[in-house]
Amino acid sequence: MLKGRTISSLMDGADAETKAAAFQAVEDVAEAIGAMMFGAKFFHADPHPGNVMLLDDGRAGLIDFGQCVEVSDDSLRMLCHIVMLLRTRNKFLISQAVAQNEDFSFNTDDTDLQLALLHFFFDTSPSGEGLV
């Protein structure tokens, strides 16, 4: 059992020091998920603020492993490809890459919605600019 509080429970009324520690916990969990994905090829796929904790000793904690995913080498390559293509901001290139890969699918055929989801979840651009 982990002793601490979830990030979602910390944000309301937290002081600046607690918010900074919570932010660091989120960064630590994001790094851990990347290590899980590319190292173990198995990762926690539901890291929302209710599942990320700031432990009493200041470390990050991750709970609720009900949605874990095993990822193939092909899927990892596709994810890297998508992240790189998102930086081009070119809808055609991105949609073509997704359409050509059977491991990467959506529950919608709406290309604009697919691109918006990709942008939201995987775009690493510091500018936050949308797709063109």
Side-chain angles (χ1 to χ4, degrees):
M1 184 162 142
L2 299 177
K3 295 189 186 280
R5 294 183 58 196
T6 63
I7 300 301
S8 60
S9 71
L10 286 171
M11 292 294 89
D12 290 334
D15 59 34
E17 185 178 333
T18 301
K19 286 183 179 181
F23 184 82
Q24 183 61 51
V26 170
E27 283 190 344
D28 291 346
V29 166
E31 185 174 327
I33 288 173
M36 284 186 258
M37 284 179 76
F38 290 97
K41 296 183 180 135
F42 184 83
F43 67 99
H44 186 294
D46 192 23
H48 61 77
N51 286 342
V52 177
M53 295 181 70
L54 177 61
L55 303 181
D56 291 345
D57 65 4
R59 293 179 300 147
L62 189 57
I63 59 173
D64 187 2
F65 285 79
Q67 293 186 45
C68 289
V69 175
E70 187 172 2
V71 63
S72 69
D73 287 339
D74 287 341
S75 293
L76 285 174
R77 275 191 289 281
M78 180 61 186
L79 179 59
C80 291
H81 191 190
I82 292 291
V83 169
M84 291 173 60
L85 285 174
L86 283 169
R87 298 303 286 272
T88 70
R89 302 288 187 250
N90 186 304
K91 286 183 180 183
F92 176 77
L93 292 177
I94 298 163
S95 61
Q96 289 300 305
V98 170
Q100 293 174 7
N101 190 290
E102 296 173 6
D103 290 338
F104 205 91
S105 62
F106 293 91
N107 61 357
T108 179
D109 291 329
D110 183 334
T111 304
D112 286 334
L113 181 55
Q114 291 175 2
L115 293 171
L117 289 167
L118 288 170
H119 176 72
F120 180 79
F121 286 107
F122 300 113
D123 186 13
T124 59
S125 171
S127 71
E129 296 173 9
L131 297 168
V132 291

